[in-house]
Amino acid sequence: MNAAEGRGTTRPFELVGAPYADGRFAAALNDLGLPGVRFRDTWFTPTFGRHAGVVVRGVQLHVTDREAFPPVLTGVSVLHVLRSLYPGDFACEPFLDLLWGSASLREHLEAGRDPRGLCPPPGPPQGELLYG
């Protein structure tokens, strides 16, 4: 993926942005009405990675209700909005397949289809906790 996820900053995975992003990014994410999270327009400069030393515009995630916050749906929604707003700039990489566990997320994004239906429904976790 050719976006920065905040690694190389003091807020890894709390910041997401790209050199091609603009002020529409935060507004579009907030318009989705995702539970338990709000997005603030911001700029940051990663110290390493693809965009090291480059000022990128993006969003800072603010979790407002950790019980309601759907992290997987939020992440997929961020990718969907990046692809929707910047189709000529946003690009996925095959490494996304390893993170997702299959090619379905990347294929949805590359085809311009909404991948949010691939996520489990929001709500309390199902099944038993295996840890702690």
Side-chain angles (χ1 to χ4, degrees):
M1 175 175 71
N2 64 347
E5 65 283 330
R7 291 185 299 155
T9 73
T10 59
R11 303 261 185 235
F13 306 106
E14 184 179 318
L15 300 170
V16 179
Y20 52 81
D22 57 31
R24 299 176 295 159
F25 188 29
L29 285 166
N30 284 320
D31 286 348
L32 294 177
L34 293 167
V37 65
R38 297 292 297 162
F39 301 88
R40 181 177 67 109
D41 189 39
T42 193
W43 291 262
F44 60 97
T45 307
T47 58
F48 63 85
R50 178 185 311 254
H51 302 300
V54 176
V55 176
V56 298
R57 189 166 187 179
V59 296
Q60 181 177 14
L61 285 77
H62 291 277
V63 175
T64 59
D65 180 347
R66 69 180 188 168
E67 297 298 320
F69 174 64
V72 174
L73 178 60
T74 300
V76 169
S77 296
V78 166
L79 296 176
H80 172 61
V81 168
L82 280 169
R83 172 62 172 84
S84 297
L85 290 177
Y86 317 106
D89 296 305
F90 177 77
C92 290
E93 296 175 2
F95 183 70
L96 185 61
D97 298 356
L98 295 173
L99 296 174
W100 187 252
S102 75
S104 62
L105 176 58
R106 180 180 49 78
E107 289 169 351
H108 271 68
L109 290 166
E110 289 176 344
R113 295 191 315 261
D114 187 343
R116 292 176 292 168
L118 299 173
C119 297
Q126 303 295 312
E128 294 181 35
L129 291 176
L130 300 178
Y131 304 99

PDB file of all heavy atoms in Angstrom, residues 105-128:
ATOM      1  N   LEU A 105      -9.460  -8.877  -0.020  1.00  0.00           N
ATOM      2  CA  LEU A 105      -9.452  -7.449   0.288  1.00  0.00           C
ATOM      3  C   LEU A 105      -8.759  -6.666  -0.828  1.00  0.00           C
ATOM      4  O   LEU A 105      -9.307  -5.681  -1.346  1.00  0.00           O
ATOM      5  CB  LEU A 105      -8.771  -7.185   1.630  1.00  0.00           C
ATOM      6  CG  LEU A 105      -8.614  -5.722   2.031  1.00  0.00           C
ATOM      7  CD1 LEU A 105      -9.962  -5.010   2.080  1.00  0.00           C
ATOM      8  CD2 LEU A 105      -7.898  -5.620   3.371  1.00  0.00           C
ATOM      9  N   ARG A 106      -7.592  -7.091  -1.221  1.00  0.00           N
ATOM     10  CA  ARG A 106      -6.861  -6.413  -2.300  1.00  0.00           C
ATOM     11  C   ARG A 106      -7.669  -6.422  -3.593  1.00  0.00           C
ATOM     12  O   ARG A 106      -7.768  -5.413  -4.294  1.00  0.00           O
ATOM     13  CB  ARG A 106      -5.489  -7.062  -2.522  1.00  0.00           C
ATOM     14  CG  ARG A 106      -4.670  -6.400  -3.629  1.00  0.00           C
ATOM     15  CD  ARG A 106      -3.316  -7.059  -3.823  1.00  0.00           C
ATOM     16  NE  ARG A 106      -3.368  -8.512  -3.930  1.00  0.00           N
ATOM     17  CZ  ARG A 106      -3.734  -9.181  -5.026  1.00  0.00           C
ATOM     18  NH1 ARG A 106      -4.074  -8.532  -6.125  1.00  0.00           N
ATOM     19  NH2 ARG A 106      -3.753 -10.498  -5.031  1.00  0.00           N
ATOM     20  N   GLU A 107      -8.281  -7.557  -3.920  1.00  0.00           N
ATOM     21  CA  GLU A 107      -9.058  -7.656  -5.153  1.00  0.00           C
ATOM     22  C   GLU A 107     -10.255  -6.714  -5.141  1.00  0.00           C
ATOM     23  O   GLU A 107     -10.568  -6.079  -6.155  1.00  0.00           O
ATOM     24  CB  GLU A 107      -9.504  -9.101  -5.372  1.00  0.00           C
ATOM     25  CG  GLU A 107      -8.351 -10.013  -5.748  1.00  0.00           C
ATOM     26  CD  GLU A 107      -8.701 -11.488  -5.716  1.00  0.00           C
ATOM     27  OE1 GLU A 107      -9.818 -11.849  -5.238  1.00  0.00           O
ATOM     28  OE2 GLU A 107      -7.868 -12.301  -6.159  1.00  0.00           O
ATOM     29  N   HIS A 108     -10.922  -6.604  -3.992  1.00  0.00           N
ATOM     30  CA  HIS A 108     -12.039  -5.667  -3.882  1.00  0.00           C
ATOM     31  C   HIS A 108     -11.552  -4.238  -4.107  1.00  0.00           C
ATOM     32  O   HIS A 108     -12.161  -3.468  -4.844  1.00  0.00           O
ATOM     33  CB  HIS A 108     -12.706  -5.779  -2.509  1.00  0.00           C
ATOM     34  CG  HIS A 108     -13.797  -6.786  -2.442  1.00  0.00           C
ATOM     35  ND1 HIS A 108     -13.575  -8.135  -2.534  1.00  0.00           N
ATOM     36  CD2 HIS A 108     -15.127  -6.636  -2.292  1.00  0.00           C
ATOM     37  CE1 HIS A 108     -14.722  -8.775  -2.431  1.00  0.00           C
ATOM     38  NE2 HIS A 108     -15.685  -7.890  -2.284  1.00  0.00           N
ATOM     39  N   LEU A 109     -10.462  -3.875  -3.442  1.00  0.00           N
ATOM     40  CA  LEU A 109      -9.936  -2.515  -3.562  1.00  0.00           C
ATOM     41  C   LEU A 109      -9.499  -2.215  -4.991  1.00  0.00           C
ATOM     42  O   LEU A 109      -9.833  -1.165  -5.545  1.00  0.00           O
ATOM     43  CB  LEU A 109      -8.770  -2.313  -2.595  1.00  0.00           C
ATOM     44  CG  LEU A 109      -9.147  -2.270  -1.114  1.00  0.00           C
ATOM     45  CD1 LEU A 109      -7.898  -2.406  -0.250  1.00  0.00           C
ATOM     46  CD2 LEU A 109      -9.911  -1.002  -0.778  1.00  0.00           C
ATOM     47  N   GLU A 110      -8.775  -3.130  -5.598  1.00  0.00           N
ATOM     48  CA  GLU A 110      -8.280  -2.909  -6.961  1.00  0.00           C
ATOM     49  C   GLU A 110      -9.417  -2.792  -7.974  1.00  0.00           C
ATOM     50  O   GLU A 110      -9.304  -2.062  -8.958  1.00  0.00           O
ATOM     51  CB  GLU A 110      -7.314  -4.021  -7.366  1.00  0.00           C
ATOM     52  CG  GLU A 110      -5.993  -3.949  -6.633  1.00  0.00           C
ATOM     53  CD  GLU A 110      -5.042  -5.093  -6.946  1.00  0.00           C
ATOM     54  OE1 GLU A 110      -5.472  -6.133  -7.494  1.00  0.00           O
ATOM     55  OE2 GLU A 110      -3.851  -4.931  -6.626  1.00  0.00           O
ATOM     56  N   ALA A 111     -10.517  -3.487  -7.719  1.00  0.00           N
ATOM     57  CA  ALA A 111     -11.662  -3.442  -8.627  1.00  0.00           C
ATOM     58  C   ALA A 111     -12.580  -2.250  -8.331  1.00  0.00           C
ATOM     59  O   ALA A 111     -13.561  -2.041  -9.048  1.00  0.00           O
ATOM     60  CB  ALA A 111     -12.452  -4.747  -8.537  1.00  0.00           C
ATOM     61  N   GLY A 112     -12.265  -1.509  -7.275  1.00  0.00           N
ATOM     62  CA  GLY A 112     -13.107  -0.372  -6.916  1.00  0.00           C
ATOM     63  C   GLY A 112     -14.386  -0.774  -6.213  1.00  0.00           C
ATOM     64  O   GLY A 112     -15.322   0.019  -6.103  1.00  0.00           O
ATOM     65  N   ARG A 113     -14.446  -2.008  -5.714  1.00  0.00           N
ATOM     66  CA  ARG A 113     -15.629  -2.474  -4.982  1.00  0.00           C
ATOM     67  C   ARG A 113     -15.462  -2.186  -3.495  1.00  0.00           C
ATOM     68  O   ARG A 113     -14.357  -2.165  -2.969  1.00  0.00           O
ATOM     69  CB  ARG A 113     -15.821  -3.983  -5.192  1.00  0.00           C
ATOM     70  CG  ARG A 113     -16.131  -4.348  -6.626  1.00  0.00           C
ATOM     71  CD  ARG A 113     -16.579  -5.807  -6.782  1.00  0.00           C
ATOM     72  NE  ARG A 113     -15.772  -6.765  -6.059  1.00  0.00           N
ATOM     73  CZ  ARG A 113     -14.794  -7.505  -6.595  1.00  0.00           C
ATOM     74  NH1 ARG A 113     -14.476  -7.367  -7.863  1.00  0.00           N
ATOM     75  NH2 ARG A 113     -14.133  -8.377  -5.868  1.00  0.00           N
ATOM     76  N   ASP A 114     -16.561  -1.985  -2.810  1.00  0.00           N
ATOM     77  CA  ASP A 114     -16.556  -1.709  -1.373  1.00  0.00           C
ATOM     78  C   ASP A 114     -16.201  -2.997  -0.621  1.00  0.00           C
ATOM     79  O   ASP A 114     -16.948  -3.973  -0.667  1.00  0.00           O
ATOM     80  CB  ASP A 114     -17.932  -1.216  -0.938  1.00  0.00           C
ATOM     81  CG  ASP A 114     -17.981  -0.754   0.495  1.00  0.00           C
ATOM     82  OD1 ASP A 114     -17.071  -1.080   1.281  1.00  0.00           O
ATOM     83  OD2 ASP A 114     -18.945  -0.063   0.840  1.00  0.00           O
ATOM     84  N   PRO A 115     -15.063  -3.021   0.078  1.00  0.00           N
ATOM     85  CA  PRO A 115     -14.643  -4.240   0.775  1.00  0.00           C
ATOM     86  C   PRO A 115     -15.202  -4.372   2.191  1.00  0.00           C
ATOM     87  O   PRO A 115     -14.919  -5.350   2.871  1.00  0.00           O
ATOM     88  CB  PRO A 115     -13.118  -4.079   0.830  1.00  0.00           C
ATOM     89  CG  PRO A 115     -12.940  -2.609   0.980  1.00  0.00           C
ATOM     90  CD  PRO A 115     -14.029  -1.989   0.150  1.00  0.00           C
ATOM     91  N   ARG A 116     -16.004  -3.416   2.647  1.00  0.00           N
ATOM     92  CA  ARG A 116     -16.441  -3.456   4.045  1.00  0.00           C
ATOM     93  C   ARG A 116     -17.321  -4.658   4.360  1.00  0.00           C
ATOM     94  O   ARG A 116     -17.381  -5.093   5.501  1.00  0.00           O
ATOM     95  CB  ARG A 116     -17.129  -2.142   4.415  1.00  0.00           C
ATOM     96  CG  ARG A 116     -16.115  -0.982   4.416  1.00  0.00           C
ATOM     97  CD  ARG A 116     -16.752   0.341   4.669  1.00  0.00           C
ATOM     98  NE  ARG A 116     -17.596   0.689   3.529  1.00  0.00           N
ATOM     99  CZ  ARG A 116     -18.469   1.689   3.546  1.00  0.00           C
ATOM    100  NH1 ARG A 116     -18.626   2.428   4.611  1.00  0.00           N
ATOM    101  NH2 ARG A 116     -19.183   1.952   2.461  1.00  0.00           N
ATOM    102  N   GLY A 117     -17.958  -5.231   3.357  1.00  0.00           N
ATOM    103  CA  GLY A 117     -18.757  -6.434   3.564  1.00  0.00           C
ATOM    104  C   GLY A 117     -17.918  -7.658   3.911  1.00  0.00           C
ATOM    105  O   GLY A 117     -18.449  -8.669   4.373  1.00  0.00           O
ATOM    106  N   LEU A 118     -16.604  -7.578   3.719  1.00  0.00           N
ATOM    107  CA  LEU A 118     -15.711  -8.682   4.073  1.00  0.00           C
ATOM    108  C   LEU A 118     -15.459  -8.757   5.578  1.00  0.00           C
ATOM    109  O   LEU A 118     -14.928  -9.750   6.070  1.00  0.00           O
ATOM    110  CB  LEU A 118     -14.360  -8.524   3.362  1.00  0.00           C
ATOM    111  CG  LEU A 118     -14.378  -8.519   1.837  1.00  0.00           C
ATOM    112  CD1 LEU A 118     -12.996  -8.174   1.292  1.00  0.00           C
ATOM    113  CD2 LEU A 118     -14.854  -9.867   1.313  1.00  0.00           C
ATOM    114  N   CYS A 119     -15.818  -7.696   6.295  1.00  0.00           N
ATOM    115  CA  CYS A 119     -15.531  -7.621   7.737  1.00  0.00           C
ATOM    116  C   CYS A 119     -16.633  -8.293   8.544  1.00  0.00           C
ATOM    117  O   CYS A 119     -17.797  -8.311   8.144  1.00  0.00           O
ATOM    118  CB  CYS A 119     -15.448  -6.158   8.176  1.00  0.00           C
ATOM    119  SG  CYS A 119     -14.114  -5.262   7.400  1.00  0.00           S
ATOM    120  N   PRO A 120     -16.273  -8.813   9.717  1.00  0.00           N
ATOM    121  CA  PRO A 120     -17.298  -9.349  10.595  1.00  0.00           C
ATOM    122  C   PRO A 120     -18.201  -8.223  11.077  1.00  0.00           C
ATOM    123  O   PRO A 120     -17.767  -7.066  11.141  1.00  0.00           O
ATOM    124  CB  PRO A 120     -16.499  -9.953  11.764  1.00  0.00           C
ATOM    125  CG  PRO A 120     -15.177  -9.275  11.717  1.00  0.00           C
ATOM    126  CD  PRO A 120     -14.940  -8.885  10.295  1.00  0.00           C
ATOM    127  N   PRO A 121     -19.459  -8.519  11.400  1.00  0.00           N
ATOM    128  CA  PRO A 121     -20.347  -7.460  11.877  1.00  0.00           C
ATOM    129  C   PRO A 121     -19.838  -6.878  13.192  1.00  0.00           C
ATOM    130  O   PRO A 121     -19.259  -7.603  14.010  1.00  0.00           O
ATOM    131  CB  PRO A 121     -21.691  -8.157  12.062  1.00  0.00           C
ATOM    132  CG  PRO A 121     -21.384  -9.599  12.118  1.00  0.00           C
ATOM    133  CD  PRO A 121     -20.093  -9.816  11.395  1.00  0.00           C
ATOM    134  N   PRO A 122     -20.021  -5.568  13.400  1.00  0.00           N
ATOM    135  CA  PRO A 122     -19.585  -4.977  14.671  1.00  0.00           C
ATOM    136  C   PRO A 122     -20.375  -5.574  15.821  1.00  0.00           C
ATOM    137  O   PRO A 122     -21.502  -6.009  15.653  1.00  0.00           O
ATOM    138  CB  PRO A 122     -19.900  -3.490  14.518  1.00  0.00           C
ATOM    139  CG  PRO A 122     -20.299  -3.277  13.108  1.00  0.00           C
ATOM    140  CD  PRO A 122     -20.591  -4.602  12.496  1.00  0.00           C
ATOM    141  N   GLY A 123     -19.782  -5.586  16.964  1.00  0.00           N
ATOM    142  CA  GLY A 123     -20.440  -6.107  18.163  1.00  0.00           C
ATOM    143  C   GLY A 123     -19.429  -6.804  19.034  1.00  0.00           C
ATOM    144  O   GLY A 123     -18.231  -6.838  18.735  1.00  0.00           O
ATOM    145  N   PRO A 124     -19.909  -7.378  20.114  1.00  0.00           N
ATOM    146  CA  PRO A 124     -18.981  -8.066  21.015  1.00  0.00           C
ATOM    147  C   PRO A 124     -18.356  -9.272  20.340  1.00  0.00           C
ATOM    148  O   PRO A 124     -18.958  -9.887  19.462  1.00  0.00           O
ATOM    149  CB  PRO A 124     -19.864  -8.486  22.193  1.00  0.00           C
ATOM    150  CG  PRO A 124     -21.254  -8.404  21.703  1.00  0.00           C
ATOM    151  CD  PRO A 124     -21.278  -7.439  20.550  1.00  0.00           C
ATOM    152  N   PRO A 125     -17.121  -9.623  20.722  1.00  0.00           N
ATOM    153  CA  PRO A 125     -16.465 -10.790  20.125  1.00  0.00           C
ATOM    154  C   PRO A 125     -17.271 -12.053  20.371  1.00  0.00           C
ATOM    155  O   PRO A 125     -17.924 -12.195  21.393  1.00  0.00           O
ATOM    156  CB  PRO A 125     -15.109 -10.849  20.828  1.00  0.00           C
ATOM    157  CG  PRO A 125     -15.068  -9.750  21.808  1.00  0.00           C
ATOM    158  CD  PRO A 125     -16.351  -8.993  21.747  1.00  0.00           C
ATOM    159  N   GLN A 126     -17.210 -12.942  19.406  1.00  0.00           N
ATOM    160  CA  GLN A 126     -17.907 -14.223  19.513  1.00  0.00           C
ATOM    161  C   GLN A 126     -16.926 -15.302  19.951  1.00  0.00           C
ATOM    162  O   GLN A 126     -15.760 -15.250  19.622  1.00  0.00           O
ATOM    163  CB  GLN A 126     -18.509 -14.599  18.158  1.00  0.00           C
ATOM    164  CG  GLN A 126     -19.453 -13.543  17.613  1.00  0.00           C
ATOM    165  CD  GLN A 126     -20.677 -13.368  18.470  1.00  0.00           C
ATOM    166  OE1 GLN A 126     -21.328 -14.327  18.854  1.00  0.00           O
ATOM    167  NE2 GLN A 126     -20.988 -12.129  18.796  1.00  0.00           N
ATOM    168  N   GLY A 127     -17.414 -16.287  20.689  1.00  0.00           N
ATOM    169  CA  GLY A 127     -16.558 -17.402  21.094  1.00  0.00           C
ATOM    170  C   GLY A 127     -15.790 -17.110  22.364  1.00  0.00           C
ATOM    171  O   GLY A 127     -15.954 -16.076  23.013  1.00  0.00           O
ATOM    172  N   GLU A 128     -14.927 -18.034  22.726  1.00  0.00           N
ATOM    173  CA  GLU A 128     -14.153 -17.911  23.947  1.00  0.00           C
ATOM    174  C   GLU A 128     -12.861 -17.158  23.715  1.00  0.00           C
ATOM    175  O   GLU A 128     -12.291 -17.210  22.638  1.00  0.00           O
ATOM    176  CB  GLU A 128     -13.781 -19.314  24.451  1.00  0.00           C
ATOM    177  CG  GLU A 128     -14.960 -20.130  24.889  1.00  0.00           C
ATOM    178  CD  GLU A 128     -14.524 -21.485  25.394  1.00  0.00           C
ATOM    179  OE1 GLU A 128     -13.438 -21.588  26.007  1.00  0.00           O
ATOM    180  OE2 GLU A 128     -15.257 -22.450  25.167  1.00  0.00           O
TER     181      GLU A 128
END
